[in-house]
């Protein structure tokens, strides 16, 4: 009888230990893939790989609920056992909270279409905050845990009874040094990957909490030097939308291009009656209009009430005259890498805009200036930055991210 009880207890301990190990690996994988996904550096570097990593992250994230559920079966017993260890109880609650929070917000981010932008925005904030609080905590936990694992081992060697020794086998392999090494390596890896992103996030959130708008900074850092500045229409200055709400995350898959009057031009060609090419001075003289619209990225963030000023795409197409054989409109970025496409029908929506100004100011280079496309009713991967060429084509074209796994259907 005693033997059976002992065995159950021992198995229960073993279960907890292996559960802990599984959980550790899952969190490590999610942390590394997650950090790669939010880091701008990897964005251009990985291309299609990024979409695979996203799928890996989502899949492992969904599976991460399994050890939690399994733990809940053991939780009653574990909880009682931790009666005199409030710190460990606290730790259990923190880890469960983190895992459930990450899981719930992750599901929303994954199902962004069903969730809609507002819920997805909140999920992203929660996912981020949990990450920047949770990861340092978990790293700290695994480092300190090492010490008391060793201490516990020493204790159990002292306390172990003869029977237990017989059942368990006497010799314990000295694997803690290897484990320590692996843990240390993971910890160091995370710290190196984490540090810069964490600081960036901190500065960014402190900045926005302090009321200073990060767009102001982007405008200050504008690397373009095109003269003259476009003169905003009255609806743009002050911005009809009252000023954008939210923050753009600066995304690029290639080095951010810089433009001057000398190296910038805008072209429409392909299946058009009249190919056109403008230099900057001509381009700022084209008739512009103003729209207020929301901007949604599939990764979960949005910027609301942007006041964009620019030339409606339909107006440009009319100037060039679309030939009957044309079916699609292909957009080229001045970064030389990024392209995307709309059908002629989509391109004729009245709010598709070749934008020159945002909230009454020239679009800074980081946000795709001097000229970017805006397709408010679709996810922002359609909104090609540094737009400098439009081509009318008869065949299909697959855009940069669509080629790498994003949906052709970009409707918000
Ligand atoms: N040339 C270019 N255009 C681009 C991208 C890019 O990487 N390169 N990213 C797209 C995506 S996925 C989004 S969400 C928006 C981001 O715009 P922002 O960097 O101004 O926030 O630009 C879109 N247009
Ligand atoms: Mo995006």
């Amino acid at each position: 009888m005693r033997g059976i009880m002992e065995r159950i207890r021992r198995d229960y301990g073993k279960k907890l230990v292996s559960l802990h190990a599984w959980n550790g690996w899952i969190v490590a994988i999610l942390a590394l893939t997650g950090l790669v996904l939010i880091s701008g550096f990897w964005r251009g570097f990985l291309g299609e790989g990024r979409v695979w990593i996203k799928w890996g992250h989502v899949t492992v994230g969904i599976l991460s609920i399994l050890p939690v559920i399994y733990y809940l079966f053991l939780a009653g017993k574990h909880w009682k056992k931790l009666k005199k260890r409030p710190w460990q109880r606290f730790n259990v609650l923190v880890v469960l909270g983190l895992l459930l929070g990450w899981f719930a917000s992750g599901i929303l981010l994954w199902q962004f279409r069903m969730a809609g932008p507002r819920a997805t925005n909140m999920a992203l904030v929660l996912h981020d905050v949990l990450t920047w609080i949770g990861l340092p905590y978990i790293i700290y936990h695994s480092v300190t845990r090492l010490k008391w694992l060793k201490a516990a081992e020493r204790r159990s060697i002292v306390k172990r009874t003869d029977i237990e020794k017989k059942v368990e086998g006497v010799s314990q392999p000295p694997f803690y040094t290897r484990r320590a090494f692996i843990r240390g390596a993971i910890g160091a890896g995370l710290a190196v990957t984490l540090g810069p992103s964490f600081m960036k996030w901190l500065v960014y959130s402190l900045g926005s909490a302090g009321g200073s708008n990060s767009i102001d900074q982007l405008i200050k850092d504008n690397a373009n030097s095109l003269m003259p500045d476009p003169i905003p229409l009255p609806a743009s200055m002050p911005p009809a939308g009252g000023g954008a709400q939210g923050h753009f995350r600066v995304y690029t898959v290639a080095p951010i291009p810089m433009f001057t009057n000398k190296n910038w031009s805008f072209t429409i060609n392909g299946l058009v009656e009249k190919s056109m090419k403008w230099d900057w001075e001509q381009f700022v003289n084209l008739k512009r209009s103003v729209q207020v619209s929301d901007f949604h990225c599939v990764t979960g963030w949005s910027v609301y009430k942007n006041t964009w000023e620019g030339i409606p795409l339909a107006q440009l197409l009319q100037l060039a005259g679309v030939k009957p054989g044309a079916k699609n409109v292909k957009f080229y970025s001045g970064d030389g890498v990024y392209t995307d496409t709309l059908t002629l029908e989509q391109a004729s929506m009245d709010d598709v805009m070749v934008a020159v100004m945002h909230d009454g100011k020239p679009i800074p280079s980081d946000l795709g200036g001097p000229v970017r496309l805006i397709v408010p009713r679709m996810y922002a991967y359609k909104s090609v930055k540094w737009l400098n060429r439009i081509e009318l084509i008869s065949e299909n074209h697959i855009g940069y991210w669509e080629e790498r796994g994003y949906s052709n259907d970009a409707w918000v």
Side-chain angles (χ1 to χ4, degrees):
M1 196 56 202
R2 255 187 91 95
I4 293 170
M5 285 305 290
E6 215 114 82
R7 184 166 299 183
I8 290 173
R9 209 175 291 156
R10 194 178 61 242
D11 281 357
Y12 155 83
K14 267 190 195 158
K15 278 176 197 154
L16 274 185
V17 168
S18 74
L19 196 63
H20 188 266
W22 272 100
N23 207 32
W25 281 112
I26 285 175
V27 168
I29 292 169
L30 288 174
L32 284 172
T33 50
L35 290 168
V36 166
L37 286 174
I38 54 167
S39 127
F41 169 73
W42 292 102
R43 186 158 265 271
F45 203 67
L46 286 171
E48 186 170 359
R50 190 178 175 278
V51 176
W52 285 103
I53 289 174
K54 192 170 180 174
W55 271 109
H57 185 82
V58 169
T59 309
V60 176
I62 292 168
L63 293 178
S64 75
I65 199 68
L66 295 179
V68 175
I69 293 172
Y70 188 67
Y71 172 77
L72 292 180
F73 284 110
L74 306 173
K77 196 171 172 194
H78 190 213
W79 197 247
K80 266 187 224 139
K81 214 175 170 187
L82 297 183
K83 205 170 187 172
K84 290 195 185 114
R85 299 191 169 165
W87 180 246
Q88 268 178 268
R89 276 190 166 185
F90 172 75
N91 178 58
V92 167
L93 289 181
V94 170
V95 171
L96 278 179
L98 283 171
L99 291 173
L100 290 173
W102 270 321
F103 182 76
S105 54
I107 292 286
L108 286 176
L109 287 169
W110 171 47
Q111 289 300 327
F112 63 90
R113 260 176 216 276
M114 249 163 43
R118 289 276 173 185
T120 319
N121 296 167
M122 287 195 305
L124 184 63
V125 171
L126 182 63
H127 217 71
D128 280 358
V129 168
L130 289 179
T131 300
W132 297 128
I133 295 169
L135 273 194
Y137 179 86
I138 284 171
I139 290 169
Y140 171 78
H141 168 81
S142 16
V143 171
T144 52
R145 172 93 196 174
L146 256 180
K147 282 185 206 144
W148 44 266
L149 253 184
K150 277 186 198 155
E153 171 65 10
R154 247 178 267 127
R155 238 180 286 131
S156 73
I157 287 171
V158 175
K159 278 192 195 155
R160 210 182 293 151
T161 65
D162 284 321
I163 300 167
E164 279 172 331
K165 272 183 194 164
K166 238 175 245 164
V167 178
E168 287 179 20
V170 192
S171 63
Q172 289 276 336
F175 56 84
Y176 282 115
T177 44
R178 190 171 63 104
R179 186 182 281 185
F181 176 75
I182 294 174
R183 278 234 179 80
I186 292 173
L190 283 175
V192 168
T193 338
L194 204 75
S197 314
F198 178 67
M199 288 314 291
K200 230 182 181 173
W201 177 79
L202 202 67
V203 168
Y204 164 91
S205 37
L206 289 179
S208 56
S212 75
N213 194 342
S214 70
I215 286 187
D216 290 342
Q217 192 57 47
L218 296 178
I219 290 171
K220 244 193 241 157
D221 297 341
N222 188 7
N224 294 326
S225 51
L226 288 147
M227 300 296 267
D229 275 346
I231 298 160
L233 291 166
S236 222
M237 202 63 179
Q245 292 168 12
H247 292 273
F248 290 94
R249 297 192 176 189
V250 175
Y251 283 174
T252 185
V253 296
I256 292 180
M258 285 183 241
F259 294 103
T260 62
N261 290 67
K262 279 212 179 95
N263 70 358
W264 190 88
S265 66
F266 196 97
T267 305
I268 300 186
N269 58 13
L271 295 171
V272 290
E273 304 291 349
K274 199 167 55 161
S275 290
M276 315 207 63
K277 187 168 185 171
W278 294 272
D279 64 18
W280 178 252
E281 277 159 68
Q282 297 163 328
F283 200 78
V284 285
N285 277 325
L286 293 173
K287 186 168 176 289
R288 294 191 296 269
S289 55
V290 175
Q291 66 161 289
V292 178
S293 58
D294 300 335
F295 186 96
H296 306 290
C297 171
V298 280
T299 60
W301 56 270
S302 300
V303 182
Y304 297 93
K305 300 200 170 163
N306 302 284
T307 303
W308 299 105
E309 178 175 328
I311 305 123
L313 179 63
Q315 188 181 314
L316 282 179
L317 294 182
Q318 213 168 20
L319 279 176
V322 178
K323 276 191 176 162
K327 288 214 181 68
N328 295 299
V329 187
K330 179 176 175 184
F331 303 94
Y332 293 81
S333 169
D335 66 11
V337 176
Y338 202 89
T339 61
D340 213 320
T341 183
L342 294 174
T343 65
L344 252 189
E345 194 187 349
Q346 293 165 349
S348 65
M349 289 187 289
D350 56 9
D351 54 356
V352 179
M353 179 178 267
V354 175
V356 181
M357 306 180 88
H358 176 264
D359 282 355
K361 295 187 184 122
I363 300 172
S365 48
D366 280 0
L367 298 184
V371 170
R372 80 176 295 166
L373 187 67
I374 293 299
V375 188
R377 282 181 251 185
M378 294 191 179
Y379 281 105
Y381 55 89
K382 290 285 178 188
S383 295
V384 176
K385 296 165 74 171
W386 311 292
L387 178 69
N388 65 359
R389 181 181 167 205
I390 295 172
E391 187 187 19
L392 277 288
I393 57 178
S394 59
E395 67 281 9
N396 290 328
H397 169 73
I398 316 258
Y400 181 90
W401 279 121
E402 290 89 332
E403 202 178 328
R404 290 159 180 79
Y406 278 31
S407 173
N408 269 322
D409 170 10
W411 295 103
V412 173

